[in-house]
Amino acid sequence: LSGAVGSGKTRLAKGLFELFGLPPRIAAVLKNGDGDFWAGLDGGGLFCIDNADTRVDWLADACAAAATAGTLEKRKLYTDSGRVSLKARASLCITSASPTFAADAGLADRLLVVRLNRREGATAETTLSDEIIANRDSGLSWIAFQLMNALGDRKPVPEGLNSRHPDFAS
């Protein structure tokens, strides 16, 4: 989710958690490594990195690896040879006003970018949450209907849609 300050990026992420009935898991980008990133993804469901605006060396590569079912293999703490494998089990949402990490060519083909404009006026968060809860069943039904149509589509995938990852395109 990309947009100016005040465009509702974080609120939209919170709304997704509410819509899907998931506990919010929204974290900051840490400069000292990607261990917490992979631990968050390994938890399943939906994981959000909020305000990924500062250049962090590991973020683009970690996101690209996570988008292709990657894992982080590392030594288990306090052991000599024990190993831990953290897998990309969660869908990832990233909010950023200036997503410089996304300039990485290896990551660009794997992103679905939603650009938001700055919001005008004010809406109370509780009002938004109440509206999501009141319309949750119909919203989830609409999503399921759209997925059913997409999965039932037997038309061939257009050529060149995603030349780096044609399996994703199909």
Side-chain angles (χ1 to χ4, degrees):
L1 303 173
S2 177
V5 173
S7 60
K9 300 176 297 292
T10 304
R11 182 60 191 122
L12 178 55
K14 287 179 183 177
L16 288 172
F17 284 104
E18 292 171 345
L19 176 65
F20 290 112
L22 299 169
R25 295 186 316 126
I26 301 174
V29 177
L30 301 178
K31 293 181 182 185
N32 61 346
D34 58 353
D36 290 339
F37 171 84
W38 284 100
L41 285 177
D42 193 62
L46 179 62
F47 181 58
C48 180
I49 300 291
D50 196 21
N51 296 320
D53 299 315
T54 306
R55 175 89 175 118
V56 178
D57 290 339
W58 59 264
L59 185 58
D61 290 338
C63 289
T68 53
T71 62
L72 173 68
E73 291 276 337
K74 65 180 187 173
R75 181 179 58 84
K76 188 174 183 178
L77 291 178
Y78 312 112
T79 67
D80 289 330
S81 61
R83 305 288 300 160
V84 171
S85 178
L86 299 174
K87 298 179 169 74
R89 301 177 203 271
S91 295
L92 177 62
C93 175
I94 303 172
T95 72
S96 180
S98 66
T100 56
F101 70 91
D104 180 88
L107 178 58
D109 283 346
R110 297 172 172 105
L111 292 175
L112 175 62
V113 179
V114 177
R115 290 186 175 84
L116 303 171
N117 295 322
R118 185 170 174 77
R119 303 253 323 133
E120 299 295 328
T123 306
E125 287 213 26
T126 54
T127 302
L128 293 170
S129 293
D130 291 345
E131 188 174 337
I132 290 168
I133 291 167
N135 295 291
R136 185 169 183 256
D137 291 346
S138 60
L140 291 173
S141 295
W142 181 85
I143 291 169
F145 183 76
Q146 298 306 317
L147 288 172
M148 177 193 71
N149 286 334
L151 291 171
D153 181 3
R154 299 279 185 210
K155 293 180 224 152
V157 176
E159 290 293 321
L161 186 62
N162 187 333
S163 57
R164 291 196 64 216
H165 302 286
D167 55 333
F168 286 4
S170 63

